[in-house]
Amino acid sequence: FRNALHDLLLYSPDRPTLAQRALGWAIRLVGGASAVIIDADGSILAARDMTRAQAEEIAADLHAGAVAHKALLSSQVPNQLTTLLHLQQGEGWLVILAGPFTPIFGDDEISRVRQYANSITAGLDRVSLNERIASLEKAKTEFLSVASHELRGPMTVIKGYLTMLEAGSLGELSSQSSSVIHLLIAKSDEVNWMVEQMVEAARLEEGRMALKKLPADLVALTDLAIEGVGQVLSKHQITVEKPSRAVEAEVDPDRFQIVVRNLLSNAAKYSPAGARI
């Protein structure tokens, strides 16, 4: 029984795999000849030592009995041990047929299988939950990838026109308009940075993250990172302690700046206005 429970805790890629493994132990626990697990929708989740036709016949009989009586007692058929599985999706069944080792099932076998059936239910529900989580993770990654690529184009155009306005390429601006252009450019940089974060997250989850190491000055990269989140830090006192000379290292310049920006953004987010960073 201990080994049977241990097997349920092992990784299973899907519910049929776990159900097939559980059936082997269920048969051994009571000395049965064959067994089947019927899912909440009436389909055969797993069958062992019986034909598909036999498994479907048992499922049809159980469905008819469940509709008529709502519950089927194990003791009704001495050579067939039937136990309900209270699955997350609804009620399923574990059915074990008697064999030469145990021609008739008694109270001991019934009690043992009911104990194990509870563990099978928990195991199957865990696999279902894992499958749902994996599906949601995949959907989230796909959304991040699509959304980030869709946002990149418009933001590049917006930043381009704002830069042209600031430089006077599209004509002179009033003093009032000029005063807000710098803020708009800073905000567009902020959005671009968030888009890059989305791209990085998607790459990381898809296993496509690759560092592009280059010789770079960490002091200069840190200054660039601080400049990139200047708007976020506008309500705080920023103190930067840095060496007077360059600090050369082989790093991925873009990702190094992302790390520094994240640290600064979190510091600003979780510190009161006017606090020293």
Side-chain angles (χ1 to χ4, degrees):
F1 190 76
R2 192 162 51 241
N3 288 338
L5 294 180
H6 178 265
D7 250 17
L8 288 178
L9 294 172
L10 295 176
Y11 169 75
S12 296
D14 50 50
R15 295 171 76 245
T17 300
L18 185 137
Q20 192 66 241
R21 190 186 297 154
L23 282 182
W25 285 107
I27 290 171
R28 289 179 66 182
L29 282 169
V30 296
S34 56
V36 59
I37 290 179
I38 299 150
D39 213 344
D41 61 359
S43 63
I44 308 301
L45 190 57
R48 201 174 184 102
D49 299 322
M50 68 170 65
T51 65
R52 184 79 185 180
Q54 286 175 308
E56 288 174 351
E57 186 180 349
I58 291 170
D61 289 345
L62 280 173
H63 180 69
V67 170
H69 309 292
K70 189 60 184 172
L72 200 65
L73 294 175
S74 301
S75 57
Q76 284 180 338
V77 186
N79 64 345
Q80 178 177 309
L81 207 166
T82 306
T83 307
L84 270 172
L85 300 175
H86 299 286
L87 300 166
Q88 200 173 40
Q89 299 96 324
E91 289 181 344
W93 302 90
L94 165 63
V95 181
I96 304 174
L97 301 182
F101 295 108
T102 311
I104 295 175
F105 295 120
D107 291 342
D108 184 45
E109 286 82 17
I110 293 170
S111 173
R112 204 178 303 162
V113 164
R114 281 181 176 169
Q115 268 189 298
Y116 189 48
N118 290 333
S119 300
I120 293 173
T121 301
L124 290 172
D125 284 346
R126 188 199 72 219
V127 175
S128 294
L129 186 60
N130 287 342
E131 287 174 347
R132 285 179 60 195
I133 291 171
S135 177
L136 288 170
E137 287 290 339
K138 184 180 178 184
K140 182 189 75 174
T141 302
E142 288 174 354
F143 168 77
L144 285 173
S145 183
V146 172
S148 57
H149 283 96
E150 291 296 322
L151 286 169
R152 263 180 166 176
M155 286 311 303
T156 301
V157 174
I158 290 168
K159 173 72 182 291
Y161 276 108
L162 287 173
T163 306
M164 289 169 70
L165 283 168
E166 185 184 41
S169 303
L170 301 177
E172 286 191 30
L173 296 174
S174 65
S175 57
Q176 192 173 4
S177 298
S178 297
S179 64
V180 298
I181 282 292
H182 183 69
L183 174 64
L184 292 175
I185 290 174
K187 285 295 179 184
S188 69
D189 286 336
E190 199 176 320
V191 174
N192 277 325
W193 175 56
M194 287 190 284
V195 170
E196 285 303 316
Q197 293 282 78
M198 291 168 68
V199 172
E200 290 293 295
R203 283 177 184 157
L204 185 62
E205 292 187 0
E206 289 174 357
R208 294 189 294 112
M209 177 75 81
L211 294 176
K212 297 176 183 176
K213 292 183 179 181
L214 299 168
D217 175 13
L218 301 188
V219 177
L221 289 179
T222 302
D223 286 339
L224 284 172
I226 294 170
E227 187 182 331
V229 286
Q231 192 60 37
V232 176
L233 304 173
S234 60
K235 295 180 181 178
H236 295 80
Q237 299 175 38
I238 310 301
T239 304
V240 184
E241 296 178 10
K242 57 185 178 181
S244 55
R245 59 180 180 78
V247 178
E248 296 291 337
E250 277 206 0
V251 296
D252 184 318
D254 294 332
R255 292 191 173 93
F256 181 88
Q257 290 182 70
I258 285 172
V259 172
V260 177
R261 288 174 185 172
N262 282 341
L263 289 169
L264 292 170
S265 297
N266 285 336
K269 191 184 296 182
Y270 299 108
S271 302
R276 180 171 172 267
I277 296 175

